[in-house]
Amino acid sequence: MQRQWSVQAPGEPEAEPGGEELWEQEMARLCLSQQPVRVLPYAMVDKRFIRQLREPEGVKTSCWQQWRRRRQTAGRRLGEAVRRLTRGCGLWEGALYEIGGLFGTGIQSYFTFLRFLLLLNLLTLLLTSSFVLLPLVWLRPPDPGPALNFTLQCPGSGHLPQTGVSKFNNLLWNVFTGRAFNNTYLFYGAYWSGPESSSTYSIRLAYLLSPLACLLLCFCGILRRMVKGLPQKMFLGQDYRSPLSAKVFSSWDFCIRGQEAATIKRHEISNEFKMELEEGRHLLLLQQQTRAQRACHLLTYLRVNVLIGLLVVGAISAIFWATKYSQDNKEESLFLLLQYLPPGVIALVNFLGPLLFVFLVQLENYPPNTEVNLTLIWCVVLKLASLGIFSFSLGQTVLCIGRNKTSCESYGYNACDYQCWENSVGEELYKLSIFNFLLTVAFAFLVSLPRRMLVERFSGRFWVWLDREEFLVPKNVLDIVEGQTVTWMGLFYCPLLPLLNSVFIFLTFYIKKYTLLRNSRASPRRFRASSSIFFFQLVLLLGLLLAAAPLGYVVSSIRSSWDCGLFANYSAPWQVVPELVALWLPLSSQRILHYLGSHAFSFPLLTLLSLVLTVCVSQSQASARAIRRLRKQLVWQVQEKWHLVDDLSRLLSEPSSGDSLGPESPVSRGSRPRSFCPGFPCPGSPGPRPRRPGPSLEDPAGLRGVLVPAHRFRFPSGSEL
């Protein structure tokens, strides 16, 4: 402790005692605190001094403890360096930072979503290659021999089953339709394995479980990001408003040195303020609505939804009949339009549907927020319903679902028209994926680019009204989710489709970035990053469930093709699992697995799940109550601080007796609160600055530290506690 004495003016009362005791108590608190020294807001020299004070007296730190402490410090620094290096070398980090600064976090979240989908596809491709392709190439199963020749009694035809090979033999056309890769590992029919045995690696089991494992991993990843991206208002309440003062005074990054980075940061802060003001305006409009206005709004809402629902039903019917017509006339498919009729109709429906939705919603003069949300919901329904009806139409045509045919009754699928029906389904999904990417390229360079050039070249009311294309985040997200859903649907029929989709997503990122920076204008509606991420993951999760449902049905119930693929001799692909269980596991393990798969195990499983769900709901409710209590406590603390501020201002406004123009009395100084924080000084407050010669603004007379004794504890670095 050091004591600094100063000359006291005659006639002034002595300072109130107790300051030294407060500092001693604070030092005792720092010594006994379990808080790590590295998180304390002090200089490194002060932290070393506090660490020495915490060590017991007369006990020296052993070499082992010193080495362990140095190892922990080195490991922590190495981990931080690796994380910084990973963030710096991450894919598209610079581009994402630029987009987020110029256009806001909502548009940035779309490009981050593209990166997430690329990682999912690469992970799926890695699993498929590791467990199916590499073992298949390494083991080299024997040649399956000549294909079995089935003579089918097909009504109205006296020829063999159609192989689905078109008479149009152009190589480029075969690449676009997938027929050029029929005998490659891109499709199901090229995979083959010998009979199962108890000693070899089972390619069939790996091929069957790889798509299921990929879907499960994707589900876990999507669920994790969905929970991570939950909006704050779901926890803090709809009436929660983040303080704008915190954004005003703490948004700027003082580490910025370059002009370009400063410009991006200014745009980012501006977008944040626009988003906050827009949300506040929307909340105010909702609070000002009367009951009559809400009832009228509900009636118009129902009317518009009925009309849009009828449009969706018509669109779904068009997709169904287009797919059915294309498959029924497969032998005469000599034109591009007929071959690509289902993808074309799906693209046309998904293009015209949102335009009609927006037109119907705008007729009712909805608020902008309600208009966007309503249109967005129906666009999601249309996208997913179009893929669902496309799958059902393929199943009805290829697998005879709901139809009676001779070949279907004998073989379980339409063997007269499809010799290898898995390849045919894979070709349709391949064409749909190719068509979606070609549409993305065509709209970017044949629509957006000429539109921007015309708007910049000409002037007039029409061109001002036309303007550049608006970059709509929900529309672009739905397009990319559609392509990802198609990829998941084709994991069993086209195992290497994730490789193709990875290339498409990689190119789509740069195409969309070029369109955003050069050809488009940002949407006037701002999207918060947390809300956008939650919405993206929710739509992606719905697409995953849509892809998993038909895949599970096909794997468990549908007869495989007789003369192609790994499961040619099985009534269903899942039948390989019981066969391998009987070959590999002992009788006791087989009984356990049989019990786990029986109905007797479902009752205790449902009971356990109910208990887990009850515990989770109870914990969620308890957390919500704790959040509400913490919010009230925060409000009380803020009110208490405001009361202290009022007391301080009242004390400052009262004139001192007899020396209003002289120096400040120590009594009034001692009555003021030293800090609003429980510690001295406030955590995070700046350290003491070197005293300048002469009077200052805070001490006009230049007499601070000369009038009264000041009790301070100084660290070795010179900063005061």
Side-chain angles (χ1 to χ4, degrees):
M1 291 288 184
Q2 296 180 0
R3 184 183 297 271
Q4 296 178 350
W5 292 95
S6 58
V7 180
Q8 182 175 353
E12 293 185 359
E14 295 182 356
E16 295 181 357
E20 187 173 353
E21 297 179 359
L22 291 177
W23 298 118
E24 291 178 355
Q25 292 176 5
E26 181 65 16
M27 284 303 304
R29 186 187 68 83
L30 285 175
C31 293
L32 298 177
S33 176
Q34 298 296 328
Q35 190 177 13
V37 179
R38 59 186 176 87
V39 301
L40 294 177
Y42 299 115
M44 291 300 298
V45 179
D46 303 336
K47 291 180 180 180
R48 295 190 186 100
F49 185 72
I50 294 174
R51 184 180 289 112
Q52 292 177 4
L53 292 177
R54 287 185 177 183
E55 294 179 356
E57 297 182 0
V59 178
K60 293 185 178 181
T61 305
S62 62
C63 297
W64 166 254
Q65 292 178 348
Q66 294 178 0
W67 177 83
R68 183 179 179 184
R69 184 181 299 168
R70 287 195 298 266
R71 185 179 60 85
Q72 292 177 354
T73 304
R76 183 175 63 253
R77 292 176 180 175
L78 180 61
E80 293 175 355
V82 169
R83 284 192 293 269
R84 287 196 301 268
L85 183 62
T86 304
R87 287 194 300 266
C89 299
L91 185 61
W92 301 326
E93 285 292 337
L96 291 176
Y97 176 75
E98 180 184 4
I99 293 171
L102 295 177
F103 300 97
T105 56
I107 295 181
Q108 182 192 26
S109 61
Y110 163 71
F111 290 92
T112 308
F113 182 66
L114 284 177
R115 183 173 65 177
F116 173 68
L117 289 183
L118 178 62
L119 295 178
L120 284 185
N121 283 276
L122 292 178
L123 177 62
T124 303
L125 180 64
L126 178 63
L127 289 177
T128 304
S129 303
S130 301
F131 293 100
V132 179
L133 286 179
L134 293 181
L136 190 64
V137 174
W138 179 263
L139 295 177
R140 293 182 181 180
D143 185 59
L148 299 178
N149 188 11
F150 295 100
T151 303
L152 303 178
Q153 300 297 328
C154 299
S157 62
H159 49 72
L160 292 176
Q162 298 293 332
T163 60
V165 178
S166 176
K167 299 177 182 179
F168 194 76
N169 293 321
N170 189 358
L171 179 60
L172 182 61
W173 172 240
N174 289 335
V175 169
F176 279 122
T177 57
R179 301 190 188 281
F181 310 105
N182 257 335
N183 297 324
T184 64
Y185 286 140
L186 181 63
F187 292 106
Y188 165 85
Y191 293 83
W192 179 259
S193 180
E196 296 294 340
S197 63
S198 59
S199 58
T200 60
Y201 182 83
S202 177
I203 301 294
R204 290 186 178 89
L205 184 62
Y207 189 93
L208 178 64
L209 296 183
S210 292
L212 303 180
C214 293
L215 292 179
L216 182 60
L217 289 178
C218 292
F219 176 78
C220 295
I222 294 171
L223 198 62
R224 180 178 177 273
R225 284 179 62 90
M226 182 185 296
V227 174
K228 187 179 179 180
L230 283 176
Q232 289 184 348
K233 290 187 177 180
M234 296 187 65
F235 299 101
L236 302 177
Q238 294 295 329
D239 57 342
Y240 172 76
R241 300 287 298 167
S242 58
L244 288 176
S245 59
K247 295 183 180 295
V248 171
F249 294 106
S250 62
S251 295
W252 187 255
D253 186 3
F254 289 93
C255 296
I256 293 177
R257 293 292 182 267
Q259 181 63 32
E260 182 180 359
T263 303
I264 293 176
K265 189 63 178 180
R266 283 199 301 269
H267 282 286
E268 181 180 353
I269 297 174
S270 175
N271 292 328
E272 287 290 333
F273 282 122
K274 290 178 182 179
M275 192 184 308
E276 290 289 343
L277 295 176
E278 183 179 352
E279 290 181 355
R281 178 177 174 274
H282 175 65
L283 182 62
L284 183 61
L285 291 176
L286 289 180
Q287 293 175 352
Q288 292 177 351
Q289 286 184 350
T290 61
R291 292 185 178 180
Q293 291 176 344
R294 292 176 182 175
C296 182
H297 176 76
L298 179 60
L299 291 177
T300 56
Y301 187 81
L302 292 176
R303 182 172 67 249
V304 170
N305 278 277
V306 170
L307 293 177
I308 295 178
L310 294 177
L311 289 177
V312 171
V313 172
I316 290 175
S317 302
I319 295 173
F320 174 78
W321 291 110
T323 307
K324 186 175 183 303
Y325 181 78
S326 175
Q327 295 298 320
D328 290 343
N329 297 274
K330 202 174 184 63
E331 300 176 13
E332 302 175 2
S333 300
L334 301 179
F335 301 99
L336 297 174
L337 180 62
L338 194 57
Q339 280 284 350
Y340 270 88
L341 183 61
V345 173
I346 291 175
L348 183 63
V349 164
N350 290 325
F351 176 73
L352 296 179
L355 297 180
L356 295 176
F357 297 164
V358 171
F359 176 73
L360 291 175
V361 172
Q362 287 180 348
L363 289 179
E364 303 297 337
N365 295 324
Y366 281 116
N369 191 44
T370 306
E371 176 183 331
V372 172
N373 292 336
L374 183 59
T375 307
L376 191 57
I377 291 173
W378 279 109
C379 288
V380 172
V381 173
L382 181 61
K383 286 279 187 180
L384 298 181
S386 61
L387 291 179
I389 200 65
F390 175 73
S391 301
F392 177 75
S393 180
L394 276 181
Q396 191 179 40
T397 305
V398 177
L399 304 178
C400 304
I401 298 177
R403 301 175 64 182
N404 294 324
K405 277 191 173 184
T406 304
S407 60
C408 296
E409 295 177 356
S410 303
Y411 302 100
Y413 64 97
N414 190 2
C416 291
D417 299 328
Y418 302 95
Q419 185 175 358
C420 187
W421 67 266
E422 290 89 351
N423 276 16
S424 300
V425 174
E427 289 176 8
E428 295 297 327
L429 298 175
Y430 172 86
K431 288 189 293 184
L432 190 57
S433 181
I434 291 284
F435 193 78
N436 288 337
F437 178 70
L438 293 180
L439 279 181
T440 301
V441 177
F443 270 98
F445 297 103
L446 300 181
V447 177
S448 300
L449 180 60
R451 180 176 175 178
R452 189 258 298 177
M453 296 175 65
L454 291 175
V455 168
E456 292 179 350
R457 178 66 176 84
F458 300 101
S459 61
R461 292 184 177 179
F462 173 75
W463 302 108
V464 172
W465 170 81
L466 183 62
D467 203 0
R468 295 188 179 189
E469 181 187 3
E470 183 179 346
F471 192 86
L472 298 175
V473 175
K475 176 183 177 301
N476 289 280
V477 168
L478 293 180
D479 292 339
I480 199 67
V481 167
E482 180 184 8
Q484 185 61 44
T485 305
V486 172
T487 302
W488 282 331
M489 293 171 65
L491 285 178
F492 184 78
Y493 317 102
C494 191
L496 296 185
L497 195 58
L499 174 62
L500 192 66
N501 196 39
S502 300
V503 177
F504 290 163
I505 291 176
F506 185 82
L507 297 177
T508 300
F509 182 91
Y510 292 100
I511 293 173
K512 292 297 182 181
K513 179 187 174 184
Y514 173 80
T515 303
L516 175 64
L517 297 178
R518 299 294 181 88
N519 303 332
S520 301
R521 56 185 173 90
S523 175
R525 168 167 169 76
R526 304 289 173 177
F527 291 90
R528 191 173 294 277
S530 58
S531 303
S532 302
I533 292 175
F534 179 76
F535 167 73
F536 299 164
Q537 303 303 324
L538 179 60
V539 177
L540 189 61
L541 182 62
L542 295 177
L544 178 64
L545 297 178
L546 178 64
L551 179 61
Y553 175 72
V554 167
V555 166
S556 60
S557 305
I558 300 300
R559 180 69 171 84
S560 302
S561 298
W562 283 94
D563 58 345
C564 73
L566 292 169
F567 306 99
N569 298 323
Y570 295 88
S571 59
W574 188 256
Q575 294 299 320
V576 71
V577 176
E579 178 182 350
L580 291 177
V581 167
L583 285 175
W584 291 354
L585 297 180
L587 186 60
S588 58
S589 301
Q590 296 180 27
R591 291 176 179 175
I592 294 175
L593 291 178
H594 179 71
Y595 173 73
L596 294 178
S598 63
H599 296 286
F601 181 70
S602 60
F603 179 75
L605 180 62
L606 291 176
T607 304
L608 180 61
L609 292 178
S610 301
L611 293 176
V612 172
L613 183 61
T614 304
V615 171
C616 292
V617 171
S618 301
Q619 186 177 3
S620 176
Q621 294 177 354
S623 300
R625 290 193 296 268
I627 289 175
R628 287 194 294 268
R629 288 196 298 268
L630 290 175
R631 289 180 60 191
K632 292 181 180 179
Q633 183 180 355
L634 180 61
V635 172
W636 292 338
Q637 290 180 356
V638 172
Q639 292 177 354
E640 182 181 358
K641 291 182 180 182
W642 276 112
H643 286 308
L644 292 174
V645 170
D646 293 338
D647 294 341
L648 179 61
S649 60
R650 186 168 56 253
L651 290 173
L652 290 175
S653 62
E654 294 177 357
S656 302
S657 59
D659 55 350
S660 58
L661 299 177
E664 187 181 12
S665 69
V667 178
S668 61
R669 177 181 299 184
S671 62
R672 298 181 187 177
R674 303 175 67 94
S675 174
F676 292 128
C677 303
F680 300 97
C682 288
S685 62
R689 298 179 180 178
R691 186 174 301 171
R692 297 181 180 179
S696 62
L697 294 177
E698 297 179 356
D699 188 11
L703 300 175
R704 178 173 296 178
V706 181
L707 300 178
V708 295
H711 304 282
R712 295 290 188 269
F713 177 80
R714 293 184 179 275
F715 282 113
S717 63
S719 59
E720 294 181 353
L721 178 62

Short mmCIF file of all heavy atoms in Angstrom, two decimals, residues 139-169:
data_model
loop_
_atom_site.label_atom_id
_atom_site.label_comp_id
_atom_site.label_asym_id
_atom_site.label_seq_id
_atom_site.Cartn_x
_atom_site.Cartn_y
_atom_site.Cartn_z
N LEU A 139 -12.48 -54.65 -54.00
CA LEU A 139 -12.84 -56.07 -53.96
C LEU A 139 -13.03 -56.67 -55.34
O LEU A 139 -12.82 -57.87 -55.53
CB LEU A 139 -14.13 -56.24 -53.14
CG LEU A 139 -14.01 -55.88 -51.65
CD1 LEU A 139 -15.36 -56.02 -50.97
CD2 LEU A 139 -12.99 -56.77 -50.96
N ARG A 140 -13.45 -55.86 -56.31
CA ARG A 140 -13.66 -56.32 -57.69
C ARG A 140 -14.52 -57.58 -57.73
O ARG A 140 -14.01 -58.70 -57.94
CB ARG A 140 -12.32 -56.58 -58.38
CG ARG A 140 -11.51 -55.31 -58.61
CD ARG A 140 -10.22 -55.61 -59.35
NE ARG A 140 -9.44 -54.40 -59.55
CZ ARG A 140 -8.27 -54.36 -60.17
NH1 ARG A 140 -7.74 -55.49 -60.64
NH2 ARG A 140 -7.63 -53.23 -60.32
N PRO A 141 -15.81 -57.43 -57.53
CA PRO A 141 -16.69 -58.62 -57.55
C PRO A 141 -16.70 -59.27 -58.93
O PRO A 141 -16.37 -58.63 -59.94
CB PRO A 141 -18.05 -58.03 -57.20
CG PRO A 141 -17.97 -56.60 -57.60
CD PRO A 141 -16.55 -56.19 -57.34
N PRO A 142 -17.04 -60.54 -58.99
CA PRO A 142 -17.04 -61.24 -60.29
C PRO A 142 -18.08 -60.65 -61.23
O PRO A 142 -19.05 -60.02 -60.82
CB PRO A 142 -17.37 -62.69 -59.90
CG PRO A 142 -18.08 -62.58 -58.59
CD PRO A 142 -17.45 -61.41 -57.89
N ASP A 143 -17.83 -60.88 -62.50
CA ASP A 143 -18.73 -60.37 -63.53
C ASP A 143 -20.09 -61.06 -63.40
O ASP A 143 -20.16 -62.29 -63.24
CB ASP A 143 -18.14 -60.64 -64.92
CG ASP A 143 -18.98 -60.04 -66.01
OD1 ASP A 143 -19.18 -58.80 -65.99
OD2 ASP A 143 -19.45 -60.81 -66.88
N PRO A 144 -21.18 -60.28 -63.46
CA PRO A 144 -22.49 -60.91 -63.28
C PRO A 144 -22.90 -61.83 -64.40
O PRO A 144 -23.85 -62.61 -64.26
CB PRO A 144 -23.43 -59.70 -63.20
CG PRO A 144 -22.73 -58.61 -63.94
CD PRO A 144 -21.27 -58.84 -63.67
N GLY A 145 -22.20 -61.80 -65.53
CA GLY A 145 -22.56 -62.66 -66.64
C GLY A 145 -23.64 -62.04 -67.50
O GLY A 145 -24.05 -60.88 -67.32
N PRO A 146 -24.14 -62.77 -68.45
CA PRO A 146 -25.17 -62.21 -69.34
C PRO A 146 -26.46 -61.92 -68.59
O PRO A 146 -26.81 -62.59 -67.63
CB PRO A 146 -25.36 -63.31 -70.40
CG PRO A 146 -24.91 -64.56 -69.72
CD PRO A 146 -23.81 -64.17 -68.79
N ALA A 147 -27.15 -60.88 -69.04
CA ALA A 147 -28.41 -60.49 -68.40
C ALA A 147 -29.46 -61.55 -68.63
O ALA A 147 -29.50 -62.23 -69.66
CB ALA A 147 -28.88 -59.15 -68.96
N LEU A 148 -30.30 -61.74 -67.66
CA LEU A 148 -31.38 -62.71 -67.76
C LEU A 148 -32.40 -62.25 -68.77
O LEU A 148 -32.76 -61.07 -68.83
CB LEU A 148 -32.03 -62.90 -66.39
CG LEU A 148 -31.10 -63.42 -65.29
CD1 LEU A 148 -31.87 -63.50 -63.97
CD2 LEU A 148 -30.52 -64.76 -65.66
N ASN A 149 -32.89 -63.16 -69.58
CA ASN A 149 -33.84 -62.83 -70.63
C ASN A 149 -35.23 -63.24 -70.17
O ASN A 149 -35.54 -64.42 -70.04
CB ASN A 149 -33.46 -63.55 -71.93
CG ASN A 149 -34.31 -63.08 -73.09
OD1 ASN A 149 -35.02 -62.08 -72.97
ND2 ASN A 149 -34.22 -63.80 -74.20
N PHE A 150 -36.06 -62.26 -69.89
CA PHE A 150 -37.41 -62.52 -69.43
C PHE A 150 -38.37 -62.31 -70.60
O PHE A 150 -38.29 -61.31 -71.32
CB PHE A 150 -37.79 -61.56 -68.29
CG PHE A 150 -36.99 -61.76 -67.06
CD1 PHE A 150 -35.91 -60.92 -66.77
CD2 PHE A 150 -37.27 -62.80 -66.19
CE1 PHE A 150 -35.18 -61.12 -65.64
CE2 PHE A 150 -36.52 -62.99 -65.06
CZ PHE A 150 -35.47 -62.15 -64.78
N THR A 151 -39.23 -63.26 -70.76
CA THR A 151 -40.29 -63.14 -71.77
C THR A 151 -41.57 -62.81 -71.05
O THR A 151 -42.13 -63.64 -70.32
CB THR A 151 -40.44 -64.46 -72.55
OG1 THR A 151 -39.19 -64.78 -73.14
CG2 THR A 151 -41.50 -64.31 -73.62
N LEU A 152 -42.03 -61.59 -71.23
CA LEU A 152 -43.20 -61.10 -70.53
C LEU A 152 -44.39 -61.09 -71.46
O LEU A 152 -44.28 -60.81 -72.65
CB LEU A 152 -42.95 -59.68 -70.00
CG LEU A 152 -41.75 -59.52 -69.07
CD1 LEU A 152 -41.60 -58.07 -68.67
CD2 LEU A 152 -41.90 -60.40 -67.85
N GLN A 153 -45.54 -61.42 -70.92
CA GLN A 153 -46.79 -61.36 -71.66
C GLN A 153 -47.38 -59.97 -71.47
O GLN A 153 -48.18 -59.73 -70.57
CB GLN A 153 -47.74 -62.45 -71.16
CG GLN A 153 -47.22 -63.86 -71.32
CD GLN A 153 -47.01 -64.22 -72.79
OE1 GLN A 153 -47.72 -63.75 -73.68
NE2 GLN A 153 -46.00 -65.06 -73.04
N CYS A 154 -46.93 -59.05 -72.30
CA CYS A 154 -47.41 -57.68 -72.20
C CYS A 154 -48.57 -57.48 -73.15
O CYS A 154 -48.46 -57.79 -74.34
CB CYS A 154 -46.29 -56.69 -72.54
SG CYS A 154 -44.87 -56.83 -71.44
N PRO A 155 -49.70 -56.98 -72.68
CA PRO A 155 -50.86 -56.79 -73.55
C PRO A 155 -50.60 -55.73 -74.61
O PRO A 155 -50.02 -54.68 -74.34
CB PRO A 155 -51.96 -56.32 -72.57
CG PRO A 155 -51.21 -55.74 -71.42
CD PRO A 155 -49.95 -56.53 -71.31
N GLY A 156 -50.97 -56.05 -75.84
CA GLY A 156 -50.84 -55.08 -76.93
C GLY A 156 -49.45 -55.00 -77.52
O GLY A 156 -49.19 -54.14 -78.34
N SER A 157 -48.53 -55.87 -77.15
CA SER A 157 -47.17 -55.81 -77.69
C SER A 157 -46.58 -57.19 -77.67
O SER A 157 -46.79 -57.96 -76.75
CB SER A 157 -46.29 -54.85 -76.89
OG SER A 157 -46.17 -55.30 -75.55
N GLY A 158 -45.83 -57.50 -78.68
CA GLY A 158 -45.20 -58.80 -78.76
C GLY A 158 -43.70 -58.75 -78.74
O GLY A 158 -43.04 -59.60 -79.30
N HIS A 159 -43.16 -57.72 -78.11
CA HIS A 159 -41.71 -57.55 -78.09
C HIS A 159 -41.21 -57.63 -76.66
O HIS A 159 -41.97 -57.69 -75.70
CB HIS A 159 -41.33 -56.20 -78.73
CG HIS A 159 -42.12 -55.06 -78.19
ND1 HIS A 159 -41.95 -54.55 -76.92
CD2 HIS A 159 -43.13 -54.34 -78.76
CE1 HIS A 159 -42.78 -53.56 -76.72
NE2 HIS A 159 -43.52 -53.41 -77.82
N LEU A 160 -39.92 -57.59 -76.56
CA LEU A 160 -39.27 -57.68 -75.26
C LEU A 160 -39.44 -56.37 -74.51
O LEU A 160 -39.84 -55.35 -75.08
CB LEU A 160 -37.79 -58.00 -75.45
CG LEU A 160 -37.49 -59.40 -75.99
CD1 LEU A 160 -36.00 -59.53 -76.22
CD2 LEU A 160 -38.02 -60.49 -75.07
N PRO A 161 -39.12 -56.37 -73.21
CA PRO A 161 -39.23 -55.13 -72.45
C PRO A 161 -38.36 -54.03 -73.03
O PRO A 161 -37.26 -54.26 -73.51
CB PRO A 161 -38.75 -55.52 -71.05
CG PRO A 161 -38.89 -56.99 -70.99
CD PRO A 161 -38.71 -57.49 -72.38
N GLN A 162 -38.88 -52.82 -72.95
CA GLN A 162 -38.12 -51.67 -73.45
C GLN A 162 -37.01 -51.33 -72.46
O GLN A 162 -37.21 -51.31 -71.27
CB GLN A 162 -39.06 -50.47 -73.62
CG GLN A 162 -40.17 -50.69 -74.63
CD GLN A 162 -39.64 -50.82 -76.04
OE1 GLN A 162 -38.61 -50.26 -76.36
NE2 GLN A 162 -40.34 -51.56 -76.88
N THR A 163 -35.91 -51.07 -73.03
CA THR A 163 -34.80 -50.66 -72.18
C THR A 163 -34.79 -49.17 -71.92
O THR A 163 -33.99 -48.69 -71.15
CB THR A 163 -33.47 -51.06 -72.84
OG1 THR A 163 -33.38 -50.40 -74.11
CG2 THR A 163 -33.37 -52.55 -73.01
N GLY A 164 -35.67 -48.44 -72.56
CA GLY A 164 -35.75 -47.01 -72.34
C GLY A 164 -34.72 -46.22 -73.13
O GLY A 164 -34.54 -45.03 -72.91
N VAL A 165 -34.03 -46.85 -74.11
CA VAL A 165 -33.01 -46.15 -74.89
C VAL A 165 -33.69 -45.43 -76.03
O VAL A 165 -34.40 -46.02 -76.83
CB VAL A 165 -31.95 -47.13 -75.43
CG1 VAL A 165 -30.93 -46.40 -76.27
CG2 VAL A 165 -31.29 -47.85 -74.26
N SER A 166 -33.48 -44.16 -76.12
CA SER A 166 -34.12 -43.35 -77.15
C SER A 166 -33.41 -43.55 -78.49
O SER A 166 -32.23 -43.90 -78.55
CB SER A 166 -34.07 -41.87 -76.76
OG SER A 166 -34.60 -41.09 -77.80
N LYS A 167 -34.15 -43.31 -79.56
CA LYS A 167 -33.57 -43.42 -80.90
C LYS A 167 -32.73 -42.19 -81.25
O LYS A 167 -32.03 -42.18 -82.26
CB LYS A 167 -34.69 -43.59 -81.93
CG LYS A 167 -35.51 -44.84 -81.71
CD LYS A 167 -36.64 -44.93 -82.71
CE LYS A 167 -37.51 -46.16 -82.47
NZ LYS A 167 -38.63 -46.24 -83.42
N PHE A 168 -32.85 -41.19 -80.44
CA PHE A 168 -32.08 -39.97 -80.67
C PHE A 168 -30.68 -40.17 -80.09
O PHE A 168 -30.49 -40.11 -78.88
CB PHE A 168 -32.79 -38.79 -80.01
CG PHE A 168 -32.28 -37.46 -80.45
CD1 PHE A 168 -32.63 -36.95 -81.68
CD2 PHE A 168 -31.45 -36.71 -79.63
CE1 PHE A 168 -32.18 -35.72 -82.08
CE2 PHE A 168 -30.99 -35.48 -80.02
CZ PHE A 168 -31.36 -34.98 -81.26
N ASN A 169 -29.70 -40.44 -80.92
CA ASN A 169 -28.39 -40.90 -80.47
C ASN A 169 -27.35 -39.78 -80.41
O ASN A 169 -26.15 -40.05 -80.47
CB ASN A 169 -27.87 -42.02 -81.39
CG ASN A 169 -28.71 -43.28 -81.26
OD1 ASN A 169 -29.12 -43.62 -80.16
ND2 ASN A 169 -28.96 -43.94 -82.38
#
